[in-house]
Amino acid sequence: MNERNSKAVDFSIPYLVEESTFITPRPVNIKSNFTFLQVFDATTWFCLCAVLIVMSILFAKFKDSVGYNLFKLLGTIIGQSSNIGNSSLSSRILLTAFLLFTTVISFSYSGTLLSYLIQPTKVAPIRTFHELSRAVQSGDHKLYTIEFYVRELLASEEDHLKALGRMVVRKNWVVQKLST
């Protein structure tokens, strides 16, 4: 049905609309050697480092150097025993606050890391024709189709569909015969 043919033939009102769809491979797991760092975002890592530095400076007022205290505080986070500060009340309050902080951070990290290990992160699937068009144009995917759909893509008013049609023609991804 088009405007030229409708002048010659009296077409009936469409009673069925058929939608086009596509299939893609199942998304794969993202494999990274640095997955353990993805557990927290950059802001959280920055704040964790800032807290370590500030606490090292505060503990340096009671005992030892900033570097030594930083080393001991890092050990505390990973579960090593600590002998930071002295026996004063201020030092004990500061150490208690830091130990509560490390408990929350350690449990949060462990729980989130476990969820990453149980359910690995996957590449985002392609769900729309806009996403399919971007993936085909970037070279990540191919679009094999029959000639009828190529004509429909090229005649579409949507730019992303026209781009898909042009890419199929340029790469010769037209399937000549459907196998049964």
Side-chain angles (χ1 to χ4, degrees):
M1 249 174 78
N2 60 32
E3 189 176 337
R4 185 176 57 88
N5 291 346
S6 64
K7 291 178 183 175
V9 178
D10 187 21
F11 289 103
S12 65
I13 298 171
Y15 60 90
L16 174 67
V17 176
E18 202 173 306
E19 292 187 20
S20 295
T21 189
F22 56 89
I23 58 172
T24 60
R26 175 182 278 179
V28 296
N29 294 343
I30 297 175
K31 295 177 182 169
S32 170
N33 294 334
F34 298 102
T35 300
F36 68 95
L37 293 176
Q38 295 173 351
V39 171
F40 290 147
D41 61 346
T43 305
T44 306
W45 284 114
F46 177 77
C47 290
L48 178 62
C49 291
V51 166
L52 280 172
I53 292 169
V54 168
M55 292 300 279
S56 298
I57 293 169
L58 291 175
F59 276 115
K61 292 182 179 182
F62 299 109
K63 182 179 172 187
D64 300 320
S65 68
V66 174
Y68 180 80
N69 285 327
L70 181 64
F71 181 71
K72 289 302 238 176
L73 291 174
L74 281 171
T76 302
I77 289 176
I78 61 172
Q80 301 295 317
S81 63
S82 65
N83 58 351
I84 299 173
N86 56 25
S87 59
S88 70
L89 181 60
S90 301
S91 177
R92 288 182 179 183
I93 291 173
L94 194 59
L95 182 60
T96 302
F98 184 74
L99 290 175
L100 287 172
F101 170 78
T102 58
T103 302
V104 170
I105 291 295
S106 296
F107 286 164
S108 300
Y109 182 83
S110 298
T112 309
L113 182 63
L114 183 61
S115 71
Y116 269 84
L117 295 174
I118 291 173
Q119 184 66 39
T121 306
K122 296 188 180 296
V123 174
I126 297 174
R127 298 186 187 276
T128 66
F129 278 97
H130 284 282
E131 293 172 359
L132 178 63
S133 179
R134 283 193 297 269
V136 168
Q137 289 176 23
S138 69
D140 295 338
H141 287 75
K142 296 178 181 179
L143 175 65
Y144 292 102
T145 186
I146 58 175
E147 191 173 329
F148 169 78
Y149 287 118
V150 175
R151 289 192 306 265
E152 293 296 316
L153 289 171
L154 292 171
S156 174
E157 295 177 9
E158 303 287 334
D159 290 334
H160 64 279
L161 294 178
K162 282 183 186 178
L164 275 174
R166 287 191 298 268
M167 185 68 87
V168 168
V169 170
R170 186 173 359 130
K171 298 287 188 171
N172 196 21
W173 290 334
V174 179
V175 178
Q176 300 300 327
K177 182 179 178 184
L178 294 175
S179 59
T180 55

